[in-house]
Amino acid sequence: MVMFRETISLTHDGALKAVAAGAARAVTMGVPQCLVVVDASGETLASLRMDGARFLSLRTAQAKARTAASINAATGGMAFEAALSAGIASQGAVTNLPGGLPIRFGGRLAGGIGVGSGTGEQDFDVARAALTAIGADVV
């Protein structure tokens, strides 16, 4: 019986670099965004609401990041009933909105990133730019 497992953690430098790279991508797109990076347990490591981004999108970006870390997958793929139930049960801490991606290195989960204030496609684009900047697995 195994009594422990090794885990990996994203450093604060990695979280800040991810947020900065995502924000830079959002600037080139002309779409101000909210970005949140969480660790594997869903605790916030870094967040940013860019000038002009919708203030409520910071909360949804956090929910996207937590959801992606929790399910170790991109957000937006849950069945409607499951997404509704998860949102209610978690009091909005879990969401099926697109824009959340897991942060993995070599297949090992380190956290999640959530982006909000654009379209789902724009949110994913910004999140992927953040992952690329820190050398995380492509999702």
Side-chain angles (χ1 to χ4, degrees):
M1 177 194 278
V2 177
M3 300 307 233
F4 71 94
R5 63 183 164 142
E6 292 185 35
T7 61
I8 61 171
S9 299
L10 186 63
T11 65
H12 72 271
D13 287 331
L16 291 171
K17 185 174 182 177
V19 167
R25 176 65 184 136
V27 167
T28 65
M29 294 168 55
V31 179
Q33 295 278 27
C34 294
L35 301 96
V36 177
V37 173
V38 300
D39 64 16
S41 69
E43 288 298 318
T44 301
L45 297 174
S47 68
L48 171 68
R49 184 174 70 85
M50 296 174 64
D51 297 340
R54 297 182 194 121
F55 70 91
L56 288 178
S57 292
L58 189 57
R59 182 170 177 178
T60 60
Q62 184 177 46
K64 292 174 187 185
R66 285 179 169 168
T67 303
S70 178
I71 65 173
N72 195 7
T75 60
M78 288 184 202
F80 176 78
E81 295 80 11
L84 182 61
S85 295
I88 292 169
S90 68
Q91 298 178 339
V94 172
T95 185
N96 192 41
L97 294 170
L101 295 174
I103 299 173
R104 296 187 290 239
F105 296 92
R108 298 174 70 193
L109 183 69
I113 182 166
V115 179
S117 210
T119 66
E121 185 176 303
Q122 290 168 329
D123 296 350
F124 276 133
D125 188 339
V126 169
R128 286 187 178 101
L131 294 183
T132 297
I134 61 172
D137 297 350
V138 175
V139 180

